[in-house]
Amino acid sequence: MDVTPPTVVWTRDAAEPEKRDVWRAMKRGFRGHCPRCGNGKLFRKFLKCDGHCPVCDLDFSPHRADDLPAYLVIVIVGHIVVPTALWIETNYSPPVWLQLAIYLPFTLFA
């Protein structure tokens, strides 16, 4: 008679949550490092989160960013470029070709 052991199903509620200092994890995340170990990279490309930490193998997939990083970049760059362009236009009125030669590369770089 073959008796198979019962299957253990692990759920999120069954696992003990990892104790982590929230402020230290946030500082590491703002620097682009793994919140757990602080050594691995959080992003694999500009604004693209990696699947897991290459050092401690922490899974980043539950932390979805969706469109927020791109939205924040657009808002921050827009708050720098638009007032600067308006200020230069109202005070100096440079030709359009010069404005495009300045604003487009600056916006792409920023």
Side-chain angles (χ1 to χ4, degrees), residues 1-109:
M1 183 160 136
D2 244 350
V3 177
T4 58
T7 305
V8 177
V9 177
W10 291 99
T11 62
R12 196 175 280 232
D13 298 328
E16 279 292 318
E18 180 180 338
K19 301 293 184 204
R20 187 181 308 153
D21 182 22
V22 175
W23 296 111
R24 184 183 314 155
M26 287 177 60
K27 285 193 298 189
R28 289 174 175 172
F30 281 127
R31 289 191 319 239
H33 297 162
C34 172
R36 180 193 286 166
C37 68
N39 294 323
K41 290 179 131 186
L42 187 58
F43 298 101
R44 66 181 146 89
K45 290 196 277 185
F46 181 66
L47 301 180
K48 295 289 183 186
C49 204
D50 203 353
H52 67 293
C53 176
V55 177
C56 69
D57 205 38
L58 176 66
D59 185 20
F60 296 146
S61 60
H63 307 289
R64 296 183 43 154
D66 292 329
D67 293 334
L68 182 64
Y71 176 76
L72 290 176
V73 168
I74 291 168
V75 167
I76 291 169
V77 171
H79 277 85
I80 294 170
V81 172
V82 172
T84 304
L86 290 173
W87 177 75
I88 291 174
E89 176 63 31
T90 56
N91 290 333
Y92 300 107
S93 294
V96 175
W97 67 266
L98 182 60
Q99 292 181 52
L100 290 175
I102 294 171
Y103 303 143
L104 288 178
F106 178 75
T107 303
L108 291 174
F109 177 74

